[in-house]
Amino acid sequence: MRILFSCRPAHGHLYPLVPFARATREAGHDVVFATGAAFLGTVRALGFDAHAADISVGEAEAEARARHRDDDVARLLITMFADVLPHATVKDLARLLPRLRPDLVVHEQSDVGAAKAARDAGVPFVSHVIGRSMPPELLRLAAPEMAWLWDGTTPADPMLGDTVVDVWPDLVRDPVVAALPTVLRMRPVAFDLDVPMPAVDPAKPLVYLTLGTVSHTATDVLRQAITGLARLPVTVLVALGPGALPGDVPPNVRIAGFVPQAEVLRRADLVVHHGGTGAVLGTLAAGLPQLLLPQGADQFVNADVVEATGAGGKLAGPEITADAVTAAAGRLLDDPAVREVAGRARSEIAGMPDPAAVVDQLTALVRGRVRRRPAPPGGRAATPGRSASRRPS
């Protein structure tokens, strides 16, 4: 089969797809990517064929602000993700799909325009979770604006569709995703860039600090976190991603750009981060306590869920001070109850199907080699792109 992966041109939208895409290729399938022009080099450097489609979230935000010229965040988000971005994706993929002729489209959950384009072309499609589902109050506002995507046959979730690859373990699972008609559970697997592991003092506990590839611009939050963590008898490893941090840091702090996160997590004792899905799941998979400093998007929901389960703590907004970070991190380093919960999460994640197994499940589902999942009461059974008539030959 030829399988097209579609994603926004951003690290946090591309990297979650890479382990599944690699497993798909290793299973013998032809894998191609569609993403924004700015990320074609990044995808190709990972060894995948890539084609230009879509615009960046930044471009979509500029367009949305030009239309509304106000600070109504909900209206801006709906315009971006229900109108500007999917229209750009549909336009580009309408030209690309007839040439590439994929047998299946896998799109990250925010790239719903790829589902529309696949459906119009008669190609089966499935979404891949990269974060939390749309909040109910926002979904109610967005649903009418997204009706054009589904031509009157709206799926169980207008962003996620009916069929999804879900990487969240039960401990922190999204109930909206869990209720979709067809859910393929997959173990979250860390994606690591080929970069060296920074040298750290093996005699001290290691605290790993990152604000990801978007929130790294919150330099005041980084400074407060670094100052607070450096007061502890630990080594602090800070991953800035594409960002920079001017000025000096305490002697027990190491500054890096990108790091091999999976390797860092095997060495770390505590993770302090922004609450992105990759960081949350990677930390849980490593069985480590975590302190979340959410900055935007679904990071606040992730922080609330992690704190509620007892797997970590959170500080948000004005709570993020050096003193508060010192106190919270010190408690988490020494709290056996938090480590017990994190250890349970690690065991659960280890028992989830790996990407190779999910590739087999998905391709069999597309080819009709397994039974359809029974419909829930009052609902519909679904297969990828349930309204599509095309099946791979």
Side-chain angles (χ1 to χ4, degrees):
M1 293 173 60
R2 168 170 286 180
I3 299 178
L4 174 72
F5 284 76
S6 182
C7 66
R8 306 264 178 241
H11 295 97
H13 295 251
L14 166 64
Y15 288 167
L17 301 186
V18 172
F20 191 46
R22 285 179 169 170
T24 301
R25 184 174 59 189
E26 289 167 3
H29 302 291
D30 182 18
V31 175
V32 295
F33 268 83
T35 190
F39 256 62
L40 293 180
T42 302
V43 176
R44 289 166 182 163
L46 296 172
F48 296 104
D49 187 16
H51 301 267
D54 206 357
I55 59 175
S56 71
V57 173
E59 291 173 293
E61 182 179 357
E63 170 65 21
R65 289 189 181 279
R67 291 186 191 182
H68 298 294
R69 301 188 183 281
D70 59 32
D71 294 323
D72 185 340
V73 175
R75 177 52 50 193
L76 289 171
L77 288 173
I78 291 169
T79 300
M80 288 167 60
F81 287 94
D83 185 355
V84 180
L85 285 166
H87 270 108
T89 304
V90 170
K91 179 182 177 181
D92 290 338
L93 287 184
R95 293 194 300 265
L96 192 60
L97 290 178
R99 180 159 60 89
L100 293 179
R101 297 180 57 80
D103 299 295
L104 172 68
V105 170
V106 177
H107 66 92
E108 50 93 351
Q109 69 185 75
S110 78
D111 197 10
V112 68
K116 164 70 171 174
R119 185 176 182 273
D120 289 348
V123 180
F125 56 90
V126 61
S127 65
H128 187 301
V129 165
I130 64 167
R132 292 277 162 180
S133 58
M134 193 182 296
E137 61 276 11
L138 187 60
L139 183 58
R140 283 193 294 271
L141 293 173
E145 305 297 327
M146 299 179 72
W148 70 275
L149 289 160
W150 301 105
D151 299 325
T153 55
T154 305
D157 185 279
M159 184 69 75
L160 292 158
D162 281 329
T163 306
V164 64
V165 176
D166 181 15
V167 294
W168 289 97
D170 289 340
L171 181 72
V172 289
R173 199 170 182 201
D174 187 331
V176 172
V177 176
L180 293 177
T182 303
V183 182
L184 303 177
R185 307 292 299 277
M186 184 173 77
R187 181 192 312 156
V189 176
F191 164 70
D192 268 347
L193 292 169
D194 186 15
V195 293
M197 172 70 183
V200 294
D201 184 352
K204 290 183 178 180
L206 177 64
V207 176
Y208 173 45
L209 169 63
T210 179
L211 294 186
T213 56
V214 176
S215 300
H216 62 83
T217 55
T219 53
D220 183 61
V221 172
L222 272 173
R223 282 290 180 191
Q224 295 294 327
I226 289 171
T227 300
L229 294 172
R231 295 170 179 168
L232 299 168
V234 301
T235 296
V236 182
L237 174 59
V238 185
L240 295 176
L245 187 69
D248 297 329
V249 296
N252 61 333
V253 176
R254 290 293 314 277
I255 301 293
F258 287 96
V259 299
Q261 185 161 284
E263 186 174 352
V264 172
L265 292 174
R266 286 193 291 270
R267 170 68 179 82
D269 297 276
L270 171 68
V271 182
V272 181
H273 62 90
H274 57 302
T277 297
V280 170
L281 293 176
T283 304
L284 290 174
L288 297 173
Q290 52 190 303
L291 174 61
L292 286 76
L293 313 175
Q295 299 300 301
D298 55 2
Q299 297 165 15
F300 292 94
V301 177
N302 288 341
D304 290 342
V305 171
V306 168
E307 184 178 57
T309 64
K314 69 169 183 176
L315 297 170
E319 297 174 343
I320 305 174
T321 66
D323 288 344
V325 170
T326 301
R331 177 183 64 80
L332 290 168
L333 280 166
D334 295 330
D335 190 339
V338 174
R339 291 190 176 275
E340 190 275 331
V341 175
R344 284 195 280 114
R346 176 179 57 193
S347 297
E348 182 191 345
I349 289 172
M352 294 172 69
D354 65 13
V358 179
V359 170
D360 291 342
Q361 293 173 21
L362 183 57
T363 54
L365 188 62
V366 172
R367 289 170 168 160
R369 293 180 179 174
V370 298
R371 291 182 180 177
R372 296 184 180 184
R373 177 176 171 176
R380 299 181 302 266
T383 57
R386 60 176 178 80
S387 58
S389 59
R390 183 174 184 267
R391 286 292 180 268
S393 59

